């Protein structure tokens, strides 16, 4: 077959405001929750109606900032609110499993900030609970729902790259070292892999599926968490992913997918709204730059809109990023952390 094309595929679902509105509750009003609500208010018809925090004062301040009234001084009160359809879990990822189970037990749909859990075993428990309860559960891997990712998805599905052989992705940033901080503390499941490395592993999974082998090397912080990691993943079909993540240095934040007939290269950042370039046969180069004006975390509006469509359609899992894939991504991270010697909060190796 030929991969000669004159235009790139048109991305689908480019307007998050076209999704039917659900009533959202916010569990843990931190920085990312603030950005999530800002994105929903600016670009969707989703309704944020309640927030729960460990203190009523913090919840009330968040509600006042975003213009809604219902604020709760406990997570239990939030998930019990009969007017909440879906809960966004925005707590530190060390708490994701416990909070996801709390939401599911209350019979609510749940969007869990990435990573879905700290380990694959925890993620599997969340998936099993959601399926047993018949509620929708989704990891907030918002990159999967971006317009540029849909272009890549269509190119892959149409065979325009041929057989995928090499995938690359990097995500790094220089973070100030604080042994008690979220990024560095073993008790908070700190480290590069779980915080930002999940993006690069998920990108490889998007292109190649779950790997059959993982090779990882890296540098540990004084606290024992991974400060920097490089990975080589090999798929059952022989394709390889070359990935890196770092809390020590900023990196370009680029992704690529190369096949026997062509390749895709993203603009930066690959994990947020940016752009994509296709290199085809005969020197064809086509570029798409995101025109929608929803930069960086404003792109979280796409995942919320997707969830609203899925729930309205009666689905209990995301067709673009299923729970089983979130689990296998964490299996890869589990193995990488083991290989680099990650030390858990208990003081032992991962």
């Amino acid at each position: 077959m030929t991969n000669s094309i004159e235009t790139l595929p048109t991305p689908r679902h480019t307007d998050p405001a076209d999704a039917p509105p659900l009533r959202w509750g916010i569990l843990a009003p931190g920085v990312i929750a603030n950005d999530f609500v800002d994105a929903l208010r600016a670009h969707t018809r989703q309704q944020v109606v309640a927030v729960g925090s460990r203190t009523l004062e913090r919840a009330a301040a968040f509600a006042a900032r975003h213009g809604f009234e219902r604020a709760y001084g406990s997570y239990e009160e939030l998930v019990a609110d009969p007017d909440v359809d879906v809960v966004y879990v925005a707590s530190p990822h060390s708490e994701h499993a416990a909070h996801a189970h709390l939401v599911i037990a209350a019979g609510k749909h749940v969007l869990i900030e990435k990573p879905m859990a700290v380990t694959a075993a925890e993620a599997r428990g969340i998936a099993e609970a959601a399926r047993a309860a018949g509620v929708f559960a989704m990891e907030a891997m918002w990159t999967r729902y971006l317009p540029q990712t849909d272009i890549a998805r269509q190119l892959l599905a149409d065979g325009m790259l041929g057989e995928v052989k090499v995938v690359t992705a990097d995500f790094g940033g220089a973070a100030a070292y604080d042994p008690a901080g979220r990024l560095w503390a073993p008790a908070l499941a700190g480290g590069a892999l779980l915080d930002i490395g999940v993006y690069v592993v998920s990108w490889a999974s998007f292109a190649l599926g779950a790997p059959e082998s993982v090779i990882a090397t890296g540098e540990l912080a004084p606290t024992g968490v991974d400060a920097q990691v490089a990975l080589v993943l090999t798929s059952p079909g022989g394709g390889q992913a070359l990935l890196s993540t770092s809390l020590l240095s900023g990196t370009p934040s680029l992704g690529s997918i190369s096949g026997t007939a062509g390749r895709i290269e993203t603009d930066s950042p690959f994990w947020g709204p940016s752009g994509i370039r296709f290199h085809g046969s005969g020197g064809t180069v086509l570029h798409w730059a995101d025109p929608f004006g929803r930069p960086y975390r404003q792109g979280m509006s796409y995942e919320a809109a997707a969830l609203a469509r899925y729930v309205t359609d009666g689905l209990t899992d995301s067709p673009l990023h299923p729970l089983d894939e979130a689990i296998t991504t964490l299996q890869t991270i589990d193995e990488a952390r083991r290989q680099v010697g990650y030390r858990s909060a208990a003081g032992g190796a991962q």
Side-chain angles (χ1 to χ4, degrees):
M1 66 171 292
T2 175
N3 71 344
S4 176
I5 55 175
E6 296 183 357
T7 60
L8 289 173
T10 300
R12 298 160 289 191
H13 293 304
T14 56
D15 185 1
D18 69 10
L22 297 180
R23 298 169 300 179
W24 291 73
I26 306 299
L27 189 153
V31 172
I32 197 164
N34 180 74
D35 292 347
F36 180 79
V37 174
D38 281 345
L40 264 58
R41 295 182 68 199
H43 303 295
T44 79
R45 294 187 293 135
Q46 304 306 305
Q47 302 169 5
V48 181
V49 299
V51 59
S53 181
R54 288 173 295 179
T55 69
L56 180 57
E57 293 77 13
R58 192 163 182 245
F62 187 90
R65 175 174 183 172
H66 292 287
F68 58 92
E69 296 181 355
R70 235 171 289 187
Y72 297 110
S74 74
Y75 302 139
E76 290 78 9
E77 290 176 282
L78 171 69
V79 302
D81 188 327
D83 291 329
V84 170
D85 300 316
V86 55
V87 174
Y88 172 56
V89 172
S91 51
H93 44 255
S94 55
E95 307 304 313
H96 285 178
H99 292 154
H101 281 288
L102 181 70
V103 177
I104 292 166
K108 309 291 187 183
H109 307 300
V110 62
L111 176 65
I112 310 157
E113 188 49 56
K114 59 81 204 158
M116 179 175 162
V118 171
T119 66
E122 284 189 354
R124 193 173 296 110
I126 294 170
E128 290 171 353
R131 288 163 182 158
V135 299
F136 185 95
M138 186 171 101
E139 181 183 50
M141 183 50 66
W142 54 296
T143 306
R144 290 297 177 92
Y145 306 94
L146 299 176
Q148 73 208 34
T149 307
D150 191 52
I151 294 174
R153 182 179 293 111
Q154 293 181 67
L155 290 169
L156 286 165
D158 291 343
M160 301 307 294
L161 304 188
E163 185 179 357
V164 175
K165 289 296 184 182
V166 180
V167 176
T168 68
D170 68 89
F171 192 173
Y177 180 67
D178 174 6
R182 178 183 67 82
L183 293 176
W184 305 100
L188 298 175
L193 279 166
L194 283 173
D195 188 65
I196 54 178
V198 65
Y199 285 104
V200 302
V201 177
S202 183
W203 175 256
S205 178
F206 168 69
L208 287 170
E212 67 175 8
S213 71
V214 177
I215 300 173
T217 184
E219 178 180 346
L220 297 180
T223 54
V225 306
D226 55 298
Q228 180 167 292
V229 181
L231 305 96
V232 179
L233 312 181
T234 302
S235 73
Q240 292 186 309
L242 313 175
L243 313 173
S244 67
T245 186
S246 179
L247 298 178
L248 304 177
S249 177
T251 69
S253 288
L254 298 171
S256 72
I257 304 171
S258 299
T260 54
R263 74 179 186 273
I264 292 166
E265 298 172 351
T266 72
D267 293 344
S268 180
F270 80 90
W271 41 262
S274 56
I276 195 165
R277 194 178 309 269
F278 170 70
H279 296 257
S281 60
T284 300
V285 180
L286 301 172
H287 182 247
W288 179 88
D290 190 298
F292 301 116
R294 304 181 187 111
Y296 297 103
R297 285 181 175 173
Q298 290 182 37
M300 292 191 290
S301 57
Y302 293 106
E303 68 181 353
L307 182 148
R309 294 187 200 102
Y310 299 152
V311 167
T312 301
D313 289 343
L315 303 183
T316 55
D317 202 354
S318 167
L320 299 188
H321 184 55
L323 293 171
D324 284 344
E325 188 182 354
I327 293 167
T328 59
T329 294
L330 279 166
Q331 286 176 338
T332 300
I333 292 175
D334 286 348
E335 176 59 18
R337 293 203 301 164
R338 185 194 68 79
Q339 289 187 25
V340 301
Y342 185 102
R343 294 194 296 277
S344 69
Q350 180 70 18

